[in-house]
Amino acid sequence: PHVATVLAAEHPHLPALAEADGLPLDSPDLLSRLLAYLERDTPLATCRHCLGSSGPWEPHAQLPRARASS
């Protein structure tokens, strides 16, 4: 959530990332929009500017939903 705050001076386009990646919570169709947001295949715009480096680079991949064991 703080990528734009940290990088805004060098990259003035970043403060709009909250709008690009965000979802209005007062939307009347919030449930359907939230589900679509969580199930989309494309990564967030903020992911292009991630400051993390805790592991090797991996391409974006949607993980399968956890299945309940029988």
Side-chain angles (χ1 to χ4, degrees), residues 6-7 40 51:
V6 173
L7 299 178
R40 69 186 190 173
L51 300 174

Side-chain angles (χ1 to χ4, degrees), residues 3-70:
V3 172
T5 304
V6 173
L7 299 178
E10 293 179 32
H11 305 278
H13 66 285
L14 291 182
L17 288 173
E19 294 175 21
D21 290 339
L23 192 62
L25 299 178
D26 59 352
S27 173
D29 57 344
L30 178 61
L31 182 60
S32 60
R33 293 183 68 189
L34 186 58
L35 185 59
Y37 179 85
L38 293 173
E39 292 183 335
R40 69 186 190 173
D41 292 329
T42 57
L44 298 172
T46 305
C47 292
R48 294 185 189 107
H49 307 282
C50 182
L51 300 174
S53 60
S54 61
W57 185 87
E58 296 285 335
H60 172 77
Q62 182 70 40
L63 298 176
R65 290 181 180 219
R67 305 238 183 231
S69 57
S70 318

